[in-house]
Amino acid sequence: MQKDGFDRIISFLLGASWAVVLFGALITFKLFIFLGLSLAIFLTILFIVISLFMVLALDAFAINRQRLIEAKKQTELLEKLLAADS
């Protein structure tokens, strides 16, 4: 199955978002380690939780796109059935 441009962009952005989560967590930890280990871990977990919303939002876009495509297919089939009954 060929992916259209929207699906490719969403896939790329999902991959980039996971990279931001991973590398951002590492950078956040290293940036705040001088303030103490517990604070650095807390801020890193806070960063991860906040940045995971970006991943969830992109995943929601992809799921809603699939739902729209399926709804269009079902509408087309129902219109064919309605036309065949008439």
Side-chain angles (χ1 to χ4, degrees):
M1 183 172 103
Q2 285 286 343
K3 288 186 173 184
D4 62 345
F6 182 82
D7 290 332
R8 288 182 185 190
I9 291 171
I10 292 295
S11 295
F12 172 76
L13 289 175
L14 271 171
S17 297
W18 279 110
V20 166
V21 170
L22 293 175
F23 289 119
L26 179 66
I27 292 169
T28 302
F29 182 76
K30 287 191 174 203
L31 189 64
F32 290 105
I33 192 68
F34 76 94
L35 295 174
L37 182 64
S38 60
L39 183 62
I41 290 174
F42 173 74
L43 290 175
T44 303
I45 290 172
L46 185 66
F47 173 81
I48 290 171
V49 168
I50 291 171
S51 59
L52 282 178
F53 283 110
M54 181 172 48
V55 174
L56 289 175
L58 290 170
D59 197 34
F61 285 137
I63 289 172
N64 284 334
R65 170 75 175 198
Q66 291 173 352
R67 187 180 300 162
L68 176 67
I69 291 170
E70 288 299 320
K72 285 182 179 180
K73 287 179 186 177
Q74 290 175 3
T75 303
E76 183 181 325
L77 289 173
L78 288 172
E79 288 174 349
K80 286 181 183 178
L81 285 174
L82 183 63
D85 286 343
S86 298

